[in-house]
């Protein structure tokens, strides 16, 4: 990879337990590509991890890989052969298993040597480690890794430091050496294996960063899922791996370690993201309501209280993301403060989740405790819609230019490919706002609280304005525009955004039927999920981040809306496409994949920089489970 290019991820192996992750090649070594290494929080602690053995000629060489298996999100087993110390017969008799286990702040590798030789085997094994301490944002931008660190220690223990961050390396029975002036730490074992036997050695890296703003989950998973006997085996496998990934993505904040939320995803988003964490918890509601309740409380504690253009904070607004330090993207002109509020949809989605969680069994006392936050969020929605619709505009010129879920700079385009000018009022955000107001009205009524009548009137007024202003007619048909631009014109590209309107209540049943039919039509349905943009749009490209690719969570939200709108057959079409994609990606769905048609491609091409696992891509499996098993 060239400097300045974002690393590719699609063919790398990841093991994780938030906020710790290890990226490697299929041989288990790290360092061959730009993403690889051992990370904790927003820092890459180790750039290279290389395993070697010494052959009889005295040369060090890597084992020859033959297998890789993920036992769960945090555990990977790499299988290899040591033919350089084997006998001359055709069958390999010396194997090495490399068991990698990731826990929060700790990475452990167990090297198990198996010998079927009829004589004792003595082998020197060596692990070479290169400390790094590069900020995650520099890795993402393709910047060169850092190398300034110091090390102390003797015997089998070494401590590596850079400022307050440190790595404690422990390798029982190994000899540890540090290559001056701080280039590499080497661990060497002399391993003896008796005839037809096995033996093992271990090493571990304990990673310490006092600046972390997140904590690992402190309790067992709160959900238990029993799958029906008669279920598509692809769905069974997807749900299995998805729940493992969701378990590994759980985090908490130091101010309330008992309240957990889902980190958005690996490798870049191991932290709280308002929109992502809310949608993930919402999609998981059919099997667990506790994560929804705790996510609501976490975000309520960070709810905006003042006007601050630099952070985009406003009273009642729900935060977009939280990091330990300022987040800058070199070359993109984006600089975000540690706590950033630049999202237009997290606030109505917070309200929607509270309404749904209350219906799913969230204790009434817990719901009541959040009523002040609910009212503040509703006031923000009302204020944001002062000109008729909920809209956004970055006021800093270095924040996110687009603040819906499609937050790339080119995501809001006209059919001819030109970009829309802001302020932007996204169609799906109006649907979220309608659902939030109508749902909150019903919730307040059920609790004997005032305000329901005013909210219902506000929602009805929004629905009338939406019907008057958003619908456009193009050669592809009649549908809601993706957005209104600064002049109030409907941006006329057909996109997946309109699918998020289904089931919110802002569309009539006839309008829902029109929208649903378009989304399962040939320009939008790839056969592996719903495309983000129609193939008939000038800006369509199957490998565009938001302009033609397929996102699992996006398609799942659409299928969920179709089911809520009574369009069950359309929902099952979308689910079937996602199952085909899940199988192609070995049931660990990435953030997104290419929008090529299943009629021309036997499997979806990966989007090579897609995060994996991604929380809402994993939670999409639960949506598909509910639709597929609904009678």
């Amino acid at each position: 990879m060239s400097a300045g290019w974002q690393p590719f991820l699609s063919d790398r192996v990841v093991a994780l337990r938030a906020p710790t992750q290890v990226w490697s090649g299929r041989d288990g070594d790290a360092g061959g590509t730009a993403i690889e290494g051992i990370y904790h929080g927003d820092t890459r602690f180790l750039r290279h991890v290389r395993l070697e053995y010494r052959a009889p000629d005295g040369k060090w060489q890597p084992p020859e890989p033959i297998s890789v298996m993920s036992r769960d999100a945090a555990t990977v087993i790499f299988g290899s052969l040591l033919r350089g110390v084997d006998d001359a017969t055709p069958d390999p008799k010396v194997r090495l298993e490399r068991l990698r286990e990731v826990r929060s702040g700790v990475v452990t590798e167990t090297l198990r040597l198996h010998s079927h030789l009829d004589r004792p085997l003595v082998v020197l094994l060596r692990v070479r480690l290169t400390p790094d301490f590069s900020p995650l944002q520099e890795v993402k931008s393709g910047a060169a890794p850092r190398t300034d660190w110091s090390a102390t220690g003797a015997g089998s223990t070494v401590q590596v430091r850079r400022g307050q961050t440190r790595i404690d390396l422990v390798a029982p029975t190994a000899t540890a050496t540090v290559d001056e002036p701080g280039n590499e730490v080497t661990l060497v074992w002399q391993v003896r294996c008796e005839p037809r036997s096995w033996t093992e050695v271990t090493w571990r890296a304990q990673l310490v960063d006092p600046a972390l703003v997140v904590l690992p989950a402190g309790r067992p998973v709160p959900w238990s899922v029993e799958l029906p006997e008669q279920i598509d085996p692809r769905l069974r496998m997807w749900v299995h791996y998805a729940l493992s990934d969701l378990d590994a993505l759980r985090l908490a904040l130091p101010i309330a370690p008992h309240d957990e939320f889902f980190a958005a995803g690996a490798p870049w988003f191991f932290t709280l993201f308002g929109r992502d964490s809310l949608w993930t918890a919402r999609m998981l509601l059919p099997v667990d309501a506790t994560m929804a309740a705790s996510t609501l409380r976490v975000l309520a504690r960070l709810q905006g209280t003042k006007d601050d253009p630099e952070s985009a904070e406003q009273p009642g607004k729900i935060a977009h993301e939280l990091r330990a330090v300022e987040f800058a993207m070199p070359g993109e002109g984006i600089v975000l403060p540690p706590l950033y509020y630049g999202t237009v949809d997290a606030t109505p989605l917070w309200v929607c989740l509270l309404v749904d969680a209350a219906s799913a069994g969230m204790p009434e006392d817990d719901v009541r405790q959040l009523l002040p936050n609910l009212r503040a969020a509703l006031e923000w929605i009302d204020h944001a819609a002062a000109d008729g619709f909920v809209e956004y505009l970055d006021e800093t010129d270095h924040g996110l230019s687009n603040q819906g879920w499609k937050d790339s700079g080119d995501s809001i385009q006209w059919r001819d490919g030109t970009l829309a000018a802001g302020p932007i009022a996204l169609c799906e955000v109006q649907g979220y706002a309608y659902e939030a107001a109508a749902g909150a009205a019903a919730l307040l009524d059920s609790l004997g609280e005032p305000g329901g009548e005013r909210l219902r009137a506000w929602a009805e007024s929004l629905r009338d304005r939406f019907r008057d202003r958003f619908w456009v007619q193009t050669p592809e048909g009649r549908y809601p525009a993706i957005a209104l631009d600064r002049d109030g014109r409907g941006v006329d590209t057909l996109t997946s955004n309109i699918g998020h309107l289904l089931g919110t209540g802002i569309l009539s049943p006839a309008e829902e039927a029109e929208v649903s039919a378009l989304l399962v039509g040939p320009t939008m349905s790839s056969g592996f999920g719903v495309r983000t943009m129609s193939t008939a749009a000038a800006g369509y490209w199957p490998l565009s981040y938001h302009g033609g690719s397929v996102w699992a969570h996006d398609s799942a939200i659409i299928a969920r809306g179709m089911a809520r709108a009574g369009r069950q057959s359309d929902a099952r079409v979308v689910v079937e496409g996602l199952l085909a994609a899940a199988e192609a990606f070995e049931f660990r769905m990435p953030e997104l994949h290419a929008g090529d048609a299943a009629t021309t491609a036997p499997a979806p091409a990966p989007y090579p920089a897609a995060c994996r696992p991604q929380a809402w891509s994993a939670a999409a499996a639960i949506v598909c489970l509910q639709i597929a098993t609904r009678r």
Side-chain angles (χ1 to χ4, degrees):
M1 191 196 86
S2 298
W5 291 359
Q6 182 172 327
F8 284 173
L9 311 172
S10 57
D11 61 348
R12 300 299 89 188
V13 178
V14 60
L16 69 148
R17 172 68 62 178
T20 307
Q21 55 185 322
V22 182
W23 288 81
S24 73
R26 296 184 68 83
D27 58 358
D29 279 357
T33 64
I35 183 56
E36 294 174 19
I38 296 180
Y39 298 76
H40 185 56
D42 282 344
T43 301
R44 181 169 62 191
F45 280 65
L46 289 164
R47 171 72 175 97
H48 294 104
V49 181
R50 293 178 175 134
L51 173 62
E52 300 167 321
Y53 71 100
R54 193 158 74 179
D57 61 5
K59 294 181 179 179
W60 292 95
Q61 60 188 58
E64 296 179 63
I66 59 171
S67 64
V68 57
M69 181 189 72
S70 294
R71 182 181 294 170
D72 53 40
T75 311
V76 183
I77 302 173
F78 302 91
S80 59
L81 301 177
L82 275 59
R83 292 200 292 177
V85 294
D86 211 332
D87 63 18
T89 60
D91 290 341
K93 292 189 174 66
V94 182
R95 300 178 64 183
L96 185 69
E97 284 184 347
R98 182 180 192 174
L99 171 63
R100 175 173 296 151
E101 298 173 285
V102 179
R103 298 294 177 261
S104 176
V106 181
V107 176
T108 303
E109 286 199 348
T110 301
L111 310 176
R112 178 174 289 187
L113 184 67
H114 296 260
S115 174
H116 196 64
L117 298 173
D118 57 7
R119 55 176 172 80
L121 176 65
V122 178
V123 180
L124 286 181
L125 295 179
R126 180 171 75 175
V127 172
R128 297 162 56 201
L129 305 164
T130 305
D132 184 2
F133 299 105
S134 289
L136 189 68
Q137 55 192 301
E138 293 185 6
V139 178
K140 189 174 190 288
S141 68
R146 299 184 176 184
T147 57
D148 51 330
W149 50 270
S150 61
T152 58
S156 59
T157 303
V158 173
Q159 186 175 94
V160 183
R161 283 186 172 273
R162 184 177 188 276
Q164 295 299 308
T165 53
R166 76 173 195 267
I167 311 166
D168 295 331
L169 293 169
V170 181
T173 73
T175 300
T177 59
V178 178
D179 178 26
E180 296 295 345
N183 293 321
E184 191 173 79
V185 178
T186 303
L187 311 173
V188 178
W189 296 264
Q190 181 171 281
V191 181
R192 179 182 174 87
C193 193
E194 298 300 326
R196 294 182 174 84
S197 184
W198 61 269
T199 189
E200 65 184 28
V201 297
T202 64
W203 69 274
R204 71 177 181 273
Q206 298 175 188
L207 315 169
V208 179
D209 184 357
L212 279 183
V213 294
V214 293
L215 298 174
R219 58 173 178 161
V221 291
W223 59 77
S224 177
V225 180
E226 292 188 13
L227 299 179
E229 287 291 330
Q230 300 299 319
I231 188 176
D232 189 316
R234 298 172 300 171
L235 184 54
R236 183 181 298 277
M237 291 294 293
W238 186 16
V239 169
H240 168 76
Y241 283 108
L243 291 176
S244 177
D245 282 335
L246 288 169
D247 173 19
L249 287 168
R250 291 180 299 139
L251 286 172
L253 300 184
I255 57 174
H258 54 285
D259 277 337
E260 297 173 358
F261 59 89
F262 292 108
W268 317 123
F269 310 119
F270 257 27
T271 188
L272 175 67
F273 270 71
R275 176 192 309 117
D276 301 55
S277 300
L278 286 164
W279 261 124
T280 303
R282 195 178 189 192
M283 290 192 282
L284 198 65
L285 268 176
V287 299
D288 172 65
T290 62
M291 287 296 294
S294 59
T295 300
L296 288 163
R297 288 191 291 267
V298 168
L299 288 166
R301 292 186 185 96
L302 301 176
Q303 190 172 26
T305 59
K306 63 183 184 297
D307 285 298
D308 180 8
E310 186 64 25
S311 68
E313 180 180 358
Q314 295 171 344
K317 196 175 185 183
I318 297 299
H320 175 58
E321 66 180 281
L322 173 69
R323 295 190 183 270
V325 296
E326 179 182 88
F327 187 77
M329 287 303 301
E332 295 185 25
I334 295 174
V335 182
L336 308 180
L339 180 56
Y340 181 57
Y341 289 80
T343 167
V344 71
D345 51 6
T347 307
L349 287 171
W350 186 94
V351 176
C352 291
L353 180 59
L354 178 60
V355 172
D356 288 353
S359 297
M362 184 176 172
E364 183 177 317
D365 287 347
D366 293 353
V367 175
R368 287 187 178 277
Q369 289 176 7
L370 293 174
L371 288 184
N373 305 95
L374 171 68
R375 295 188 184 280
L378 291 167
E379 285 297 318
W380 180 86
I381 295 170
D382 185 39
H383 177 76
D387 293 333
F389 298 101
V390 182
E391 61 185 20
Y392 65 83
L393 179 69
D394 173 46
E395 299 180 22
T396 67
D397 290 329
H398 57 75
L400 295 176
S401 59
N402 283 315
Q403 298 183 0
W405 86 260
K406 292 180 179 176
D407 57 4
S408 56
D410 63 350
S411 62
I412 313 302
Q413 349 179 334
W414 296 83
R415 278 176 58 84
D416 65 5
T418 58
L419 300 185
I424 295 291
L426 290 168
C427 69
E428 75 272 20
V429 174
Q430 317 315 312
Y432 302 156
Y434 176 90
E435 184 179 8
L443 177 61
L444 292 173
D445 288 350
S446 71
L447 296 173
E449 295 284 334
E453 184 174 347
R454 184 181 70 85
L455 285 169
R456 275 187 290 273
W458 186 94
E460 291 305 310
S461 177
L462 175 63
R463 182 166 62 179
D464 290 342
R465 292 195 301 275
F466 184 90
R467 184 168 291 120
D468 289 342
R469 298 283 303 282
F470 265 83
W471 285 80
V472 295
Q473 181 76 46
T474 77
E476 289 189 82
R478 179 177 175 271
Y479 51 84
I482 182 177
L484 301 185
D485 73 354
R486 68 182 176 191
D487 298 317
R489 298 176 300 165
V491 182
D492 57 357
T493 308
L494 176 59
T495 66
S496 63
N497 299 58
I498 63 174
H500 291 227
L501 300 169
L502 298 170
T504 63
I506 201 168
L507 301 180
S508 69
E511 291 167 341
E512 287 182 320
E514 289 183 80
V515 168
S516 186
L518 281 170
L519 293 172
V520 295
T523 65
M524 289 299 296
S525 178
S526 73
F528 299 116
V530 179
R531 297 183 180 96
T532 45
M533 182 181 289
S534 165
T535 57
Y540 167 78
W541 173 243
L543 284 173
S544 169
Y545 195 59
H546 289 134
S549 61
V550 173
W551 290 61
H553 89 281
D554 183 35
S555 293
I557 290 169
I558 291 169
R560 174 181 177 272
M562 289 171 170
R564 293 175 74 190
R567 310 291 299 179
Q568 293 292 339
S569 60
D570 289 348
R572 288 194 167 92
V573 168
V574 178
V575 169
E576 179 59 34
L578 288 176
L579 285 174
E583 183 176 27
F585 290 109
E586 298 178 336
F587 304 104
R588 196 178 217 179
M589 284 288 270
E591 180 185 19
L592 69 156
H593 55 266
D596 298 309
T599 54
T600 59
Y607 183 89
C611 295
R612 187 186 78 257
Q614 192 84 345
W616 57 12
S617 292
I622 304 303
V623 174
C624 292
L625 174 66
Q626 294 300 304
I627 294 171
T629 56
R630 185 173 293 157
R631 299 296 182 186

